[in-house]
Amino acid sequence: MRLRPLVAAAVAALALAACSPAGPDDAPSGEGATTVTVRLWDEQVAAAYEQSFDEFTRQNPDIQVQVNVVPWKDYFVRLPLDVAGGTVDDVYWLNSSNFGALADGGKLIDVGRELADEQASWVPAAVEQYSRSGTLWGVPALTDGRIAVYYNKAMVEAAGVDPDNLTWHPADPAADTFLPAARKLTRDSAGRTADQPGFDPGAITQYGFNAARDLQAIYYDFVGSNGGRIQAEDGSLAFTDPKTVEAFSYLVKLVNTDHVAPSAADTNDNPDFSRDQFLQGKMALFQSGTYNLKNVGDGATFEWGVAPLVAGPQGRVSVVSSVIAAGNADSPRRDAILKVLRWIGSEEGASYVGEEGAALPAVTAAQQAYFDYWEGQGVDTTFFGDAGGRATIPAPFGPKFEAASTAFNPILNEVFAGRTPVAEGMQQAQDAGNAALR
């Protein structure tokens, strides 16, 4: 599930805090039952959870479950405020950028101890990702698999592009098959492609690709595929690694020089802009994860397919991440919370998510239902697995990564906007981020 950290104004954050959903002390209950509230950011999974929790309550009539959806763009702005204010839900989703500080602060139930008998049934990589100080701090709920490329079949066929065999190279134009393809896939209002004379970058009607300041779908993967890194082993930022700077330079050039991707003015503060362009038939290649598979499946009105991640000089290197359902250690409903967490981490509880194709469960035994759903829809999901490559770059880690991203994202915004030279901006981003990590 998505990792992308967010930028939001403090004013917005305070406003949002005033309209937080029901917290642990005011959760509704009926007929004498205890109500456990569950917070997440995905509407598709929320719908599947509603069905799952109906069955849970049928089996546990003394516990009701209320699902609260907070939009992704607000989620990690609101969460720390609600945790600090004691109004956060009994169970809430966390990504790897945000769980460390809450675990260290004693805000999460020790799942490693309380549900030790269940750990063998969860995806090992997810257990490892969310283990800290010798224990596991949430029930692995979803796993993303690898990043891949959604493509518009009519657009790639018209341009003569094979989306399964694209490679970018920052230093060897002869080895770069991706940029020529992206140019052929980008059109202006007169129908000229970006590789034709007279192409007007001010009147683009069809983008080739979604290069942007998108941590999970774009820049982690380009950096990894170039042999670079985002964090050193000690967790400090490594933005000035030459291979990392090279990858960012290539991405920024796609936006501002080659004009094959939307401008940073559209994408810096709207993480779903590129997805919406793809769904509206205005983008040919959309690199993303399983977290958008249901959105594409439900929203696209044209024929589409899934191709492997664009390869780089080091091959196809993807970031792979999972999401946990964490228990609120401060809630007075601890026993009921543990029953809900055990259900979320069970094959039966997680099967509703897989059967709806909403997301790939991190409960190993429940995953086949997800693959079966998409096979039934005629969608080949193999490139989200090993067929799309096996090399990975580590997901963000460390208790203060979110604080670091809050510091460096405004600088990266300027880099992607072309207002700050890449090498200069990467140094600034590294300095600001590492200062926040201290």
Side-chain angles (χ1 to χ4, degrees), residues 33-237:
T34 297
T35 296
V36 173
T37 62
V38 177
R39 181 185 299 198
L40 65 160
W41 59 72
D42 189 290
E43 293 277 4
Q44 302 285 358
V45 178
Y49 268 12
E50 294 281 5
Q51 298 179 49
S52 177
F53 291 139
D54 282 348
E55 176 58 22
F56 170 81
T57 296
R58 193 187 69 78
Q59 297 182 24
N60 300 271
D62 58 330
I63 302 174
Q64 296 180 345
V65 183
Q66 174 181 307
V67 176
N68 293 321
V69 178
V70 176
W72 169 257
K73 66 183 180 64
D74 301 327
Y75 196 89
F76 289 110
V77 176
R78 183 184 294 183
L79 185 70
L81 297 172
D82 289 347
V83 170
T87 56
V88 74
D89 294 77
D90 297 311
V91 175
Y92 50 94
W93 275 8
L94 283 173
N95 64 8
S96 63
S97 301
N98 290 274
F99 93 99
L102 292 167
D104 291 356
K107 297 297 182 181
L108 307 181
I109 290 176
D110 183 343
V111 166
R113 181 183 63 195
E114 299 284 2
L115 302 179
D117 57 314
E118 295 287 344
Q119 287 195 36
S121 63
W122 301 329
V123 171
V127 173
E128 180 180 357
Q129 184 176 13
Y130 289 97
S131 291
R132 184 172 176 79
S133 302
T135 194
L136 174 64
W137 294 102
V139 170
L142 310 175
T143 187
D144 279 343
R146 298 177 62 80
I147 296 298
V149 175
Y150 299 92
Y151 62 90
N152 183 310
K153 287 187 177 180
M155 290 180 181
V156 299
E157 288 174 5
V161 168
D162 178 3
D164 287 352
N165 293 290
L166 296 176
T167 299
W168 69 280
H169 201 296
D172 183 359
D176 191 335
T177 62
F178 170 68
L179 180 55
R183 285 175 170 155
K184 289 183 181 299
L185 291 166
T186 302
R187 292 181 176 276
D188 65 16
S189 57
R192 290 182 290 259
T193 58
D195 60 349
Q196 291 180 327
F199 170 74
D200 182 1
I204 295 174
T205 57
Q206 176 183 309
Y207 295 105
F209 188 65
N210 61 314
R213 184 186 59 78
D214 184 328
L215 182 157
Q216 187 170 2
I218 300 296
Y219 72 74
Y220 256 64
D221 313 287
F222 272 77
V223 167
S225 297
N226 199 40
R229 56 184 182 171
I230 297 294
Q231 288 179 275
E233 291 184 2
D234 65 359
S236 62
L237 297 174

Side-chain angles (χ1 to χ4, degrees), residues 250-263:
Y250 186 91
L251 289 169
V252 171
K253 180 172 175 288
L254 290 178
V255 175
N256 299 302
T257 303
D258 301 314
H259 302 292
V260 299
S263 75

Side-chain angles (χ1 to χ4, degrees), residues 4 70 102 124 139 157 166 172 177 248 250 266 273 279 295 334 344 363 367 386 398 410 419:
R4 291 174 295 181
V70 176
L102 292 167
V139 170
E157 288 174 5
L166 296 176
D172 183 359
T177 62
F248 271 86
Y250 186 91
D266 290 321
F273 181 85
L279 293 178
N295 290 323
R334 188 182 184 90
I344 290 173
V363 180
Q367 290 188 327
D386 287 349
R419 291 189 287 266

